[in-house]
């Protein structure tokens, strides 16, 4: 009843509307009572022989409000009525959302009937908990992937970025995490995804059991920029609801780059000046506002462990969005095309990947094994070109001989099939076994 009361209170006591003044590309100019319009206000524009289309005000120019649509503008005419919708304060998630697939507006798209709203309003543009009231990150979280459990151990409430070029396997890695990670609730945002991959991800990767403890938010690549941006806020808003219920939430967004691209489209349409690679200043302001919402909650709350993919353009890991995200998050996982081409999946470069909670979160007895493994791989990759050319003579350097032997075993250890899961404890045991193998004579 409390939720119903809040929604009734939000209903406008009077109808406020304007008129479409002009349409420029995907930008709509609306004339009307501008004092009643706000940035973020939503309106419904009437269309001939079609249902009204939702738009959001993203700016003002002289005597008009600038709005962008959540869908196709087909059918919008000059002078069309634009009625102010009820305030977009946020969502009312509930436990009944588990197992559901929704769009960026919080509407069901899985054909399973309407969603049951909860009684608590969660603001769409919520602020993160105050820094001085937050808990510290919790115990290590079992992600089920050997390369991550071992070399970039993730704690509850930590935020990690998965950086990769197109076709290197980040979506498959996300699927492995969604299936194997040890969390109470999964909230998964698929932003700018290929439409054909959505059903594959839900049915093949999550499966029926995985979906029971997950909420999936979808905005495909063909949807409007506002929908793609909104999907990220809806994902975080839903995750915050379950965090406030004391749950350990794993929030995954694929991908942050497409969220930034949507922000760039919106900013350029409004007339914002382009900065690096066309990204507008607002994009770089919005990234920390979104990503900082993940993390540990207050003492009476749970935590949101964030895993965010970043699509690096042209395999350039220093491009603007990758560089900005890397500075915000608590670590980064780097996937490389060269490793994928060798057939080792997931194609994670453990030497370039960093978890900022290590080594404190790793058992003290395990740390020497991890450092030793990193040392062997570092020595091998420093000498790799000479070794592959056949210039290096076995026996010339004992350290290099050991690196060649153990790197081969470590590469086999790091390889993992999509349907394979390895617990945190089993990962440490297997690593110890690999490094205990006697060095063979060359």
């Amino acid at each position: 009843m409390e939720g119903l009361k809040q929604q009734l209170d939000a209903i406008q006591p009077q109808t406020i509307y304007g008129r479409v003044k002009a349409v420029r590309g995907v930008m709509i100019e609306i004339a009307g009572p501008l004092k009643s319009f706000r940035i973020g206000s939503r309106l419904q524009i009437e269309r001939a022989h079609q249902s009204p289309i939702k738009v959001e005000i993203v700016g003002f120019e002289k005597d008009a409000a600038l709005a962008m649509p959540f869908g196709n503008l087909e059918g919008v005419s000059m002078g069309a009525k634009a009625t102010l919708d009820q305030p977009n304060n946020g969502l009312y998630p509930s436990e009944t959302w588990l197992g559901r697939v929704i769009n960026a507006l919080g509407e069901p798209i899985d054909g399973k009937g309407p969603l049951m709203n909860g009684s608590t309003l969660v603001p769409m543009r919520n602020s993160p908990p105050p820094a001085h009231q937050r808990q510290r990150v919790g115990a290590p979280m079992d992600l089920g992937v050997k390369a991550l459990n071992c070399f970039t151990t993730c704690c509850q409430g930590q935020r990690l970025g998965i950086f990769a070029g197109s076709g290197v396997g980040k979506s498959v890695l996300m699927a492995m995490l969604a299936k194997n990670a040890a969390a109470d609730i999964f909230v998964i945002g698929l932003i700018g995804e290929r439409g054909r991959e959505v059903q594959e991800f839900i049915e093949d990767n999550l499966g029926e059991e995985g979906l029971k403890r997950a909420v999936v938010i979808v905005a495909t690549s063909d949807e409007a920029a506002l929908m793609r941006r909104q999907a990220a806020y809806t994902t975080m808003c839903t995750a915050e609801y379950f965090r406030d219920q004391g749950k350990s939430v794993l929030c995954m967004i694929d991908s942050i780059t497409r969220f930034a691209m949507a922000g760039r489209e919106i900013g350029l349409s409004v007339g914002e000046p382009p900065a690096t690679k066309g990204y507008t200043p607002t994009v770089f302001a919005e990234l920390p506002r979104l990503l900082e919402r993940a993390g540990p909650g207050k003492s009476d709350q749970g935590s949101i462990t964030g895993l965010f993919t970043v699509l690096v353009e042209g395999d350039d890991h220093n491009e603007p969005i990758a560089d900005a995200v890397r500075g915000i998050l608590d670590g980064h996982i780097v996937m490389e095309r060269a490793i994928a081409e060798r057939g080792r999946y997931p194609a994670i470069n453990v030497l370039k990947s960093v978890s900022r909670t290590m080594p404190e979160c790793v058992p003290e007895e395990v740390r020497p094994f991890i450092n030793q493994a990193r040392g062997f791989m570092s020595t091998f990759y420093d000498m790799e070109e000479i070794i592959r050319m056949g210039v290096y003579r076995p026996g010339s350097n004992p350290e290099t001989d050991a690196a060649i032997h153990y790197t081969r075993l470590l590469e086999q250890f790091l390889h993992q099939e999509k349907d394979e899961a390895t617990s945190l404890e089993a990962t440490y045991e297997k690593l110890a076994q690999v490094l205990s193998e006697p060095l063979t004579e060359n």
Side-chain angles (χ1 to χ4, degrees), residues 58 68 229 257 259-289 320-321 324:
V58 294
M68 291 189 72
R229 186 186 71 171
T257 305
F259 164 77
M261 287 177 173
R264 177 172 62 183
E265 287 181 45
I266 296 166
L268 292 175
S269 297
V270 175
E272 252 193 291
T276 314
K277 282 200 173 181
Y279 288 103
T280 56
T282 300
V283 171
F284 297 102
E286 286 295 322
L287 282 172
R289 288 177 191 160
I321 298 303

Side-chain angles (χ1 to χ4, degrees), residues 299-311:
S299 58
D300 58 341
Q301 297 174 339
S303 63
I304 300 174
T305 304
L307 291 170
F308 310 105
T309 69
V310 179
L311 177 65

Side-chain angles (χ1 to χ4, degrees), residues 66 128 139 165 267 298:
L66 304 179
K298 298 179 183 178

Side-chain angles (χ1 to χ4, degrees), residues 38-54:
R38 305 283 187 270
I39 296 292
S41 293
R42 290 188 185 172
L43 300 93
Q44 295 205 43
I45 298 179
E46 295 178 352
R47 297 189 291 177
H49 310 298
Q50 297 183 61
S51 59
I53 181 173
K54 289 183 179 181

Side-chain angles (χ1 to χ4, degrees), residues 109-246:
I109 56 174
D110 53 8
K112 296 180 180 178
L115 286 174
M116 297 293 291
N117 285 336
S119 60
T120 305
L121 173 69
V122 182
M124 196 65 72
R125 299 294 187 94
N126 212 352
S127 297
H132 63 283
Q133 294 181 18
R134 281 192 162 193
Q135 304 176 66
R136 299 185 63 173
V137 293
M141 175 179 280
D142 183 4
L143 298 178
V145 178
K146 289 182 285 188
L148 302 184
N149 277 347
C150 193
F151 294 102
T152 53
T153 309
C154 177
C155 294
Q156 289 184 12
Q158 189 174 347
R159 301 161 305 152
L160 286 170
I162 301 173
F163 296 74
S166 57
V168 179
K170 62 184 178 304
S171 294
V172 176
L173 177 59
M174 288 282 283
M176 293 172 70
L177 296 169
K179 199 169 185 178
N180 302 324
D184 298 328
I185 303 291
F186 293 83
V187 180
I188 303 166
L190 304 178
I191 301 172
E193 276 295 302
R194 303 172 187 90
R196 67 164 184 84
E197 291 183 345
V198 173
Q199 206 64 12
E200 291 177 10
F201 179 87
I202 294 168
E203 293 180 358
D204 299 342
N205 299 324
L206 264 184
E208 188 177 342
E209 288 302 313
L211 187 59
K212 285 180 181 178
R213 54 182 183 140
V215 182
V216 182
I217 296 92
V218 176
T220 53
S221 59
D222 61 308
E223 295 190 57
L226 269 185
M227 287 290 275
R228 284 178 271 134
R229 186 186 71 171
Q230 186 67 29
Y233 294 127
T234 301
T235 301
M236 200 60 71
C237 178
T238 307
E240 286 170 334
Y241 166 78
F242 288 106
R243 176 205 65 194
D244 294 346
Q245 306 305 307

Side-chain angles (χ1 to χ4, degrees), residues 402 405-406 408-409 432-441:
H405 172 75
Y406 287 111
R408 176 178 57 82
L409 297 176
Q433 290 173 7
V434 166
L435 296 176
S436 64
E437 287 283 331
L439 186 65
T440 55
E441 293 292 334

